[in-house]
Amino acid sequence: MARDAASRPADRKRHWLFDFAPLAACFALLISLGFLPPDTSSAEVDATGRLSVCMPSNYPPLVTGNAEAPGFEVELVNEIADRLGWRLNIVTNAAMGRDFNPRNWRINRAQCQMLAGGIVMSATTQSFLDTTRPHLQTGWALISRSDAALADIDGQIGFYAGLTGLDRIGLGQYLRQSGISPKIVNTANALRSDLERGTIAGGVTEGLLAASMADDNDLNVTLLGEPLEQFSLGLGFWKGDVTLQRKVSSVLDQMWADGTIETIAERYGLDSVFLCSPNGASCG
């Protein structure tokens, strides 16, 4: 009995420490946050009056390399810069158009404050980039002269991989299960040429590219749904550059509200299927 009585103060002291340990950890975290450097990302762009944006050199219809119609996202970021009173400096990076994984692009803060031209909002991207809300979506798409479903196309189907980030294995399994053995071509021009000559009845490729090809021809584009995955696209910012991300997002909200984004999209053949309007169907 004497030993039990003597142990009670020690137990109470231990419980007291356990009770206050989480509270002490929270105070320590709050104090440490006070020593973090302030987010000056927006103020730095304001000070120089210039916004540098990393983009692929060619990824139609987002970036075309054509001065008269430079691409949907080139016009988008140019409008953002204009509304904020900044000059736009585009830094091209060819690797961005070949791969969805931003870790392979070798881009850093010294090159640009914002990334555009096909920023897929995947877990990998958002592990080191902050993004705006999505404004586009893409995935595998069927392009053809009819509005028939993929399984109902009568004739040979062509296939062009386009962006390497889309799941080719999942598409291959889907096509085999549908009884389709596609003709593989190596370029978008080859797929377009086969469609125009009628040597294939339809083609499967990345959705935005399909929309770009259909824009100049009498072709239909259908984004393929489940079980195939679709991807949302937005604008990217370095982690912690919250003030810049919020300022750009605010301008995007204005551009959705006054119809500017739909107007730009229409010039590049991007209809509502590809747009992630805040008032329309949500994108993932």
Side-chain angles (χ1 to χ4, degrees):
M1 292 293 291
R3 188 168 54 250
D4 291 343
S7 66
R8 286 188 194 115
D11 290 342
R12 283 198 296 271
K13 183 177 181 181
R14 191 160 51 246
H15 292 161
W16 180 88
L17 289 174
F18 282 133
D19 290 342
F20 280 89
L23 188 60
C26 289
F27 275 118
L29 177 61
L30 290 174
I31 292 172
S32 65
L33 289 175
F35 290 97
L36 290 175
D39 173 15
T40 59
S41 54
S42 178
E44 290 173 4
V45 178
D46 283 333
T48 62
R50 186 179 71 170
L51 176 69
S52 293
V53 182
C54 286
M55 306 183 79
S57 52
N58 187 34
Y59 178 15
L62 304 183
V63 183
T64 67
N66 179 349
E68 295 183 357
F72 171 80
E73 296 221 342
V74 175
E75 291 199 32
L76 187 74
V77 297
N78 192 47
E79 181 69 20
I80 291 170
D82 276 349
R83 294 193 183 200
L84 291 170
W86 298 333
R87 301 186 310 279
L88 178 63
N89 176 43
I90 293 179
V91 180
T92 57
N93 182 314
M96 292 179 69
R98 295 195 299 264
D99 197 325
F100 267 177
N101 186 354
R103 294 190 185 280
N104 297 332
W105 297 342
R106 300 183 183 279
I107 294 175
N108 55 52
R109 285 178 179 270
Q111 296 171 300
C112 51
Q113 295 104 357
M114 193 168 86
L115 292 84
I119 305 302
V120 174
M121 300 170 70
S122 65
T124 300
T125 300
Q126 294 181 323
S127 67
F128 75 105
L129 288 180
D130 288 324
T131 64
T132 58
R133 288 194 298 273
H135 54 261
L136 289 175
Q137 66 175 346
T138 188
W140 293 119
L142 170 67
I143 179 170
S144 68
R145 295 196 177 279
S146 72
D147 58 357
L150 178 60
D152 298 325
I153 293 289
D154 184 15
Q156 177 73 61
I157 297 291
F159 169 70
Y160 172 60
L163 286 177
T164 57
L166 294 179
D167 181 7
R168 300 185 198 184
I169 296 176
L171 176 66
Q173 293 171 342
Y174 177 77
L175 293 177
R176 283 194 296 276
Q177 290 169 0
S178 302
I180 296 171
S181 180
K183 172 189 176 183
I184 298 175
V185 298
N186 294 323
T187 67
N189 285 336
L191 185 63
R192 187 203 313 266
S193 176
D194 282 350
L195 282 166
E196 291 173 348
R197 289 184 300 167
T199 55
I200 58 175
V204 174
T205 188
E206 186 269 324
L208 296 173
L209 178 61
S212 177
M213 293 170 61
D215 192 32
D216 298 329
N217 299 281
D218 185 20
L219 297 170
N220 296 314
V221 175
T222 305
L223 271 181
L224 301 177
E226 296 288 346
L228 300 177
E229 192 174 7
Q230 295 183 351
F231 298 88
S232 299
L233 281 69
L235 302 176
F237 305 85
W238 302 111
K239 276 289 185 186
D241 288 357
V242 178
T243 55
L244 180 60
Q245 185 266 344
R246 287 177 178 169
K247 184 171 282 190
V248 171
S249 294
S250 175
V251 174
L252 283 172
D253 289 342
Q254 297 170 16
M255 293 169 66
W256 278 117
D258 63 23
T260 301
I261 292 181
E262 288 94 337
T263 301
I264 297 174
E266 187 176 354
R267 286 201 283 272
Y268 295 94
L270 298 173
D271 59 22
S272 59
V273 171
F274 297 97
L275 294 179
C276 299
S277 167
N279 300 321
S282 62
C283 298

